Amino acid sequence: NCLKKRGYKSMELRSARKRRTTSLPEESKSEHRMKTRADARKETVELTKSSEEEEDKEKIVFEFGGPIGVVLTMIFLPIVIMGLSISCDTESCLGVDLSLWSFFNEKFPQKMMEIMSKKHLSSASMIFFGWMSFQMCLYLLLPGPKVEGTPLRTSKEKLEYKLNGHLAFWITLFVMGHAWPTKSTTTQSILLGQAPLEYLYEYFEALAFIAILMSTIFALVLYIASFRLETNDKNELLAVPGSTGNYIYDFFMGRELNPRLYNFDFKFFCELRPGLLGWLMINIGCLIKQQNTLGFVTWPMIFIVFSQGLYVWDALFFEKAILTTMDITTDGFGFMLVFGDLAWVPFTYSLQAKFLATRDIQIPPLCLLAIALLKFFGYFIFRGANSEKDFFRSHTNIAIKKYNAQILQTKRGTKLLISGFWGLARKINYTGDWLMSLSWCLATGFRSPIPYFYCTYFLILLIHRAIRDDHACAQKYGADWISYKKHVPYLFIPKIF
C-alpha cells in the first residue's frame, strides 16, 4: 500500500510538472530545461565534492600520537633542549659532579633566571639574527647551478633551486677564521681576523632559548601565511600530512609544502644552512674555549670537531640529494621542521664538544683509533649507500646496463633498486649514520650520560623515520612493496635486523 501511495504521489507530481511545463511558451520551456540541467549538474558536482571530502577525511592518518601527541611534543622538546644545555657547563655536569636532585632544585631554575637577564637575551639575539642574516646573504648572493626538484603533488610543476651550499660552507669558514672585522685597540682601525667564536660557548644556553623562541614564532607566521594559498587557488602547494583540518596538528606538521618569497625557498634554506653550519661553528667555539681553559686541545676534541665537520661538509657538498628526501617532497614546513632545523640540530648535536670544552678527557690511543675506525666505517656505509641511490635515480639506465644493477619493476612504472648496498638492507644508510653518531659519543668517555643523548635520540629518530617511510611506500607501491620486502627482507643490519 505504501509503495502504491508513493507511486501515485510521484505520478501526480510528474503530471503536475508536465502541466506546468506544457502551459509555458516554447521559449520558457527551453529556459526551464536549461535551468533544470544546470541544477542537476550543480547537484552532481556538490555530491561528488562532498564524497571526495568524506574520502579525504577517511584517509587522514595522524602521526606522533595525533593532536595530543604533538602538543606534548611541542612542550617537551624545548624543555629537553634547555635541560641538556644547562646540565653540563664550566661549573658542573650531570653525572659527574651534579646530582639529578641538585640539577632540578637548584641549577636549572637559577640558570633560567640568568638566561632571562637583559644582557644574555640581547647578546644572544644579536648573534642569532646576525648569523641568520649572514647565511641568507650567502644563499642569495653566491653563484651556483640551478636545478629542478621533484614534480609537485598535483600540478607536476618542478620548483627551481640554487645549489651554493658547498661554496657557502667554505666562505663561512674563511670569514669566521680570517675575515671577521674587529676594532684595533691601539690604532682604532678596523682589522680582519678571527671571529670570537668562544662566545658561542659562553652564551650557549641563551642562544638555545632564542632559537626555540624564534623558531616557534617563525612556524606560526608560516602557518598563518599558508592560508593565502586557498584564496589564490594553489592547493597543490599544501602538504598532505599538514592539511588535516586540525589547527594544532597542522601547525606542527606544516601546511605549506615549499613556502617561498619570490625565489627564496625557506625550507630548502633552513634544512642545511643555519642549523648544520651553526652546529659546526659551536663546535669550533668549544674547541677555542678548551684551548683558553686548559691551555691545549685534546685529541677527543680534535676528533669530534673534524669528524662532525666532515659530516656537515658532506651534507652541503651533496646538497642536491636533499631534494628527493621526505623533508622536501612530502612534509610541510611547520613547527616540526623549523624547530628541528634551527633549534634542535645545533644545540643537541653539539653536546659532545660542549662537554669536552672545559674537561681533559683522556682516551687511550688504541681506543681512540678504534672509535675513529668506527666513524669512518659508518661514513663508508652512509656515503656509499646514498651515492649509489642518487646515481641510480639520476642515471637509471646506465646503472642497469653498465653496472648490472638489479631492479624490481613496479606497476607504477618506477624501478626499485635491490642490489649493492640496497640489496643488503632497506635502510642501510641509516645504519651508517647511527654508527657515526655512536663514535662521537664514545669519544667523550663514560663520565656523564649527557653526551650519549645524541646517539640514543638518533636511534629512536631513525627507527621512527624508517616506519614512516615503510608506511608511505606501502601506500605508494601496494603489492609491489610486499614483493620488494621479500627481495630485501632486512631493515637495518644484513642477516640480523
Side-chain angles (χ1 to χ4, degrees), residues 17-32:
R17 286 173 190 165
K18 191 174 180 181
R19 284 195 299 272
R20 285 199 301 270
T21 307
T22 51
S23 63
L24 293 170
E26 287 299 321
E27 190 176 339
S28 300
K29 284 181 184 180
S30 60
E31 287 179 3
H32 179 76

Side-chain angles (χ1 to χ4, degrees), residues 290-355:
Q290 189 183 67
Q291 172 69 43
N292 296 341
T293 304
L294 303 180
F296 58 91
V297 179
T298 62
W299 281 107
M301 177 64 88
I302 293 171
F303 168 74
I304 289 293
V305 174
F306 174 76
S307 60
Q308 292 187 348
L310 175 64
Y311 186 83
V312 174
W313 169 85
D314 178 274
L316 291 164
F317 183 79
F318 296 99
E319 184 179 21
K320 185 181 178 182
I322 198 173
L323 298 179
T324 58
T325 61
M326 180 181 281
D327 286 359
I328 297 293
T329 62
T330 307
D331 291 331
F333 197 42
F335 180 88
M336 178 179 70
L337 289 183
V338 175
F339 178 84
D341 293 339
L342 303 183
W344 188 265
V345 168
F347 296 103
T348 61
Y349 287 24
S350 56
L351 288 173
Q352 294 83 34
K354 187 173 187 288
F355 174 77

Side-chain angles (χ1 to χ4, degrees), residues 413-472:
T414 53
K415 299 174 178 67
L416 299 177
L417 183 61
I418 56 173
S419 62
F421 280 103
W422 299 96
L424 299 174
R426 299 193 300 276
K427 292 296 176 185
I428 190 75
N429 57 332
Y430 287 6
T431 304
D433 212 349
W434 186 78
L435 289 176
M436 287 190 285
S437 73
L438 178 62
S439 71
W440 298 331
C441 298
L442 290 171
T444 64
F446 299 99
R447 293 178 63 183
S448 172
I450 298 301
Y452 285 85
F453 171 82
Y454 175 57
C455 66
T456 306
Y457 138 79
F458 203 47
L459 179 63
I460 297 168
L461 172 72
L462 294 177
I463 291 172
H464 177 260
R465 179 161 287 195
I467 294 169
R468 287 187 74 199
D469 286 350
D470 185 77
H471 176 73

Side-chain angles (χ1 to χ4, degrees), residues 386-400 405-408 414-419 422:
N386 283 328
S387 294
E388 194 176 74
K389 176 183 65 176
D390 295 336
F391 183 80
F392 179 76
R393 282 177 173 173
S394 56
H395 304 88
T396 305
N397 292 330
I398 297 174
I400 295 170
Q406 302 299 308
I407 63 160
L408 175 68
T414 53
K415 299 174 178 67
L416 299 177
L417 183 61
I418 56 173
S419 62
W422 299 96

